[in-house]
Amino acid sequence: MSRYDNLRDQVCKLHAELPANDLVAWTSGNISARVPGEDAMVIKPSGVRYPDLTPDSMVVVGFDGEVIEGELSPSSDTATHLYIYRHRQNVSGVVHTHSPYATAWAAVGEPIPCILTAMADEFGGAIPLGPFARIGSEEIGKGVVGTLSGQRSPAVLMRSHGVFTVGETAKDAVKAAVMVEDVARTVYLARQLGQVKPLGQDDVDALHDRYLSEYGQ
């Protein structure tokens, strides 16, 4: 038994939500979770298909980048996740996907405008666009943190790359990733029908405040 077993199990189970919601293909995408009380995270191994993931295949990585526990190599996006955790103390979950509609917005270099009440609820405004950065270093993490600074959105579209979402838990970040793809598809369809008009800031603020204070149990 290891003190990381429960979190490795949770992160493994959450990965099933990505293919179930059509957010990833083959081995792309990943989820991580901060280890409570430690400078470490649990993350998906690199290049392993989703049906083959097990709790034991999840990798525990210290904030210095060293593997603490796990037999496999961690995700190629490990440096990005670590940078986010080191610079956003309120974040305990990070998700990366290449979900098709949201990534299409990233490919054309456009933020997703806030034209839906669901967007105002969940994201508090438009879903912002971050800069292009090469995979494998901290540059993507810097782009994510810099773009989300001062934003209410838990999601960012990284130009020509894909989606990153953050949350107070890994489950929250997964929910944000699911919702990003949902609104990205709806806004795309709306633009095929005609011109779209962003919601007014007062309406966005009121909807977001109501969602945070009144929605759910």
Side-chain angles (χ1 to χ4, degrees):
M1 294 292 292
S2 162
R3 66 182 184 276
Y4 304 113
D5 284 352
N6 286 339
L7 192 58
R8 292 172 87 178
D9 182 62
Q10 292 171 30
V11 173
C12 181
K13 288 177 179 176
L14 282 172
H15 274 91
E17 297 290 346
L18 302 189
N21 286 280
D22 298 322
L23 305 185
V24 296
W26 202 243
T27 64
S28 69
N30 39 72
I31 300 170
S32 71
R34 184 192 294 267
V35 177
E38 294 188 34
D39 287 340
M41 70 175 182
V42 173
I43 193 167
K44 176 181 177 285
S46 178
V48 178
R49 294 178 63 241
Y50 284 83
D52 298 329
L53 293 176
T54 66
D56 286 343
S57 68
M58 299 296 112
V59 188
V60 184
V61 183
F63 284 3
D64 58 1
E66 295 297 316
V67 172
I68 297 173
E69 190 172 282
E71 299 299 321
L72 302 177
S73 298
S75 167
S76 60
D77 292 303
T78 291
T80 296
H81 290 246
L82 290 175
Y83 187 92
I84 294 170
Y85 288 127
R86 288 197 303 265
H87 292 84
R88 288 285 302 268
Q89 295 301 315
N90 62 328
V91 168
S92 290
V94 177
V95 175
H96 172 47
T97 77
H98 299 150
S99 57
Y101 281 91
T103 301
W105 287 89
V108 298
E110 284 192 50
I112 304 175
C114 185
I115 66 169
L116 303 167
T117 58
M119 289 188 68
D121 286 349
E122 188 73 31
F123 302 102
I127 299 171
L129 177 73
F132 173 78
R134 294 184 181 181
I135 300 170
S137 71
E138 293 184 340
E139 292 307 306
I140 295 175
K142 291 178 182 178
V144 171
V145 170
T147 303
L148 292 182
S149 178
Q151 299 271 357
R152 292 186 292 203
S153 174
V156 56
L157 311 177
M158 293 301 288
R159 184 186 291 269
S160 300
H161 185 171
V163 182
F164 281 87
T165 61
V166 299
E168 292 184 4
T169 67
K171 184 177 179 180
D172 290 338
V174 171
K175 178 191 176 186
V178 172
M179 295 303 295
V180 167
E181 182 64 2
D182 182 62
V183 300
R185 179 174 58 247
T186 302
V187 178
Y188 166 80
L189 292 172
R191 292 222 309 197
Q192 309 317 300
L193 294 172
Q195 186 175 4
V196 299
K197 182 179 180 181
L199 296 174
Q201 190 61 52
D202 288 347
D203 290 324
V204 172
D205 292 343
L207 287 162
H208 187 63
D209 289 344
R210 181 207 63 86
Y211 183 72
L212 293 180
S213 63
E214 299 179 21
Y215 180 78
Q217 302 303 313

